[in-house]
Amino acid sequence: MIARAALKAATRDAHGRVDKAFGAHDLATRAGYARFLLGQAAALAPIEQALTEAGAALLIEAWHEHRRAPLLTADLAALGLASPSPLPAPRFADEAELAGGLYVLEGSRMGGAMLRRAVPDCFPSAFLSARQHPGRWTRFAASLDTLLYSPQRRDAAVGAASRVFTCFEQAARQVVEA
């Protein structure tokens, strides 16, 4: 798991900033949860679309059914909220960059399951409850060493992952400032 460890180490600070930015929202309150979902939606939907256009289906099995933006949109609608304007998404120029972007989104699915525990049962939570298919993360993480076999490819993946984290961080700040 050399590539996965490299991605994790290189993006630790960016990941921490995103966690801190979204952690400012109290998911146990309607207002806090709504801001959290709005921030997630501003980044997730355009990133998922960019990943789709770059060929995510080649790296993640059943990618189209795996996307979480529709679940997020449904949760917002159940709260009576419209989806926010999307932020510009990073572009993924090659397979290495695609792997870096997917690393962030696939990892966030596991974080979502932990965050779900803080959300009252009376709030819609399809987005945070989206299940990871058994073995999908393990297979994807294992594929990173094959996909990111050179330092140059790992650097490209780190750059893409960092841009994805930056997009989420901007979305979180945008919601706080609104």
Side-chain angles (χ1 to χ4, degrees), residues 1-4 135-148:
M1 295 285 185
I2 294 167
R4 180 176 163 202
R136 186 188 309 260
W137 171 253
T138 303
R139 286 189 300 277
F140 174 71
S143 76
L144 290 174
D145 282 336
T146 302
L147 294 166
L148 308 177

Side-chain angles (χ1 to χ4, degrees), residues 94-151:
D94 58 27
E95 186 177 66
E97 289 187 358
L98 183 60
L102 287 168
Y103 166 81
V104 176
L105 288 197
E106 291 300 296
S108 75
R109 186 179 290 268
M110 291 182 288
M114 288 187 285
L115 291 174
R116 170 60 185 97
R117 297 178 197 145
V119 177
D121 290 338
C122 61
F123 293 166
S125 61
F127 168 64
L128 291 177
S129 299
R131 296 192 60 210
Q132 178 75 273
H133 291 89
R136 186 188 309 260
W137 171 253
T138 303
R139 286 189 300 277
F140 174 71
S143 76
L144 290 174
D145 282 336
T146 302
L147 294 166
L148 308 177
Y149 55 83
S150 71

Side-chain angles (χ1 to χ4, degrees), residues 3-155:
R4 180 176 163 202
L7 277 164
K8 184 175 183 176
T11 61
R12 180 170 283 124
D13 290 344
H15 190 176
R17 287 190 306 273
V18 169
D19 284 350
K20 183 178 180 181
F22 278 104
H25 304 295
D26 182 357
L27 303 184
T29 68
R30 186 184 188 289
Y33 185 54
R35 283 192 303 275
F36 171 83
L37 291 178
L38 288 166
Q40 288 286 315
L44 182 73
I47 291 169
E48 278 190 348
Q49 185 58 39
L51 288 166
T52 298
E53 292 167 4
L58 300 173
L59 300 183
I60 298 289
E61 62 192 72
W63 168 251
H64 292 287
E65 294 83 33
H66 192 64
R67 293 174 63 177
R68 292 181 292 156
L71 301 173
L72 187 47
T73 300
D75 285 348
L76 286 169
L79 289 173
L81 300 169
S83 292
S85 298
L87 290 177
R91 295 291 168 223
F92 306 97
D94 58 27
E95 186 177 66
E97 289 187 358
L98 183 60
L102 287 168
Y103 166 81
V104 176
L105 288 197
E106 291 300 296
S108 75
R109 186 179 290 268
M110 291 182 288
M114 288 187 285
L115 291 174
R116 170 60 185 97
R117 297 178 197 145
V119 177
D121 290 338
C122 61
F123 293 166
S125 61
F127 168 64
L128 291 177
S129 299
R131 296 192 60 210
Q132 178 75 273
H133 291 89
R136 186 188 309 260
W137 171 253
T138 303
R139 286 189 300 277
F140 174 71
S143 76
L144 290 174
D145 282 336
T146 302
L147 294 166
L148 308 177
Y149 55 83
S150 71
Q152 295 81 10
R153 289 176 70 89
R154 283 191 293 276
D155 288 347

